[in-house]
Amino acid sequence: VPGPPGNNNASDLAADVRIQTSPVAASIFDGKRKLGRSPLTVRVPSKGLKLTFRAPGYRTQKKKIDADAGSVVVKLRRRPVDTGIGIAQ
């Protein structure tokens, strides 16, 4: 039986969001807590969730995930490779 109007619990408004990354198997964090590796389904509260994505050789990326997103694809950018070209010796 639902409660009175305006008395909804925020957790009742949470939704599952499927998160995929490029590259696959990036680590997903909520603050310092590791949630797992992509692809991953995460329970997102109605206010959203700010997640951090990490993968070796790629830049760390933060992204806010909205509860109504359904599914999200996060594309990480490669870190620049230091080739040593152009460095004065």
Side-chain angles (χ1 to χ4, degrees), residues 16-86:
D16 289 337
V17 176
R18 181 76 170 165
I19 300 174
Q20 298 180 7
T21 62
S22 177
V24 174
S27 295
I28 303 173
F29 294 84
D30 178 7
K32 293 184 179 182
R33 185 172 62 107
K34 184 175 180 179
L35 301 178
R37 293 185 179 267
S38 67
L40 183 69
T41 299
V42 176
R43 190 78 173 161
V44 178
S46 61
K47 65 181 179 181
L49 192 60
K50 190 166 191 176
L51 299 178
T52 302
F53 301 85
R54 294 186 185 130
Y58 290 81
R59 295 180 183 189
T60 297
Q61 183 171 331
K62 294 183 179 188
K63 183 172 179 71
K64 183 177 180 192
I65 307 298
D66 293 322
D68 62 357
S71 67
V72 174
V73 177
V74 178
K75 295 183 181 183
L76 302 180
R77 291 178 29 203
R78 285 194 176 273
R79 282 191 197 132
V81 177
D82 184 0
T83 61
I85 298 173

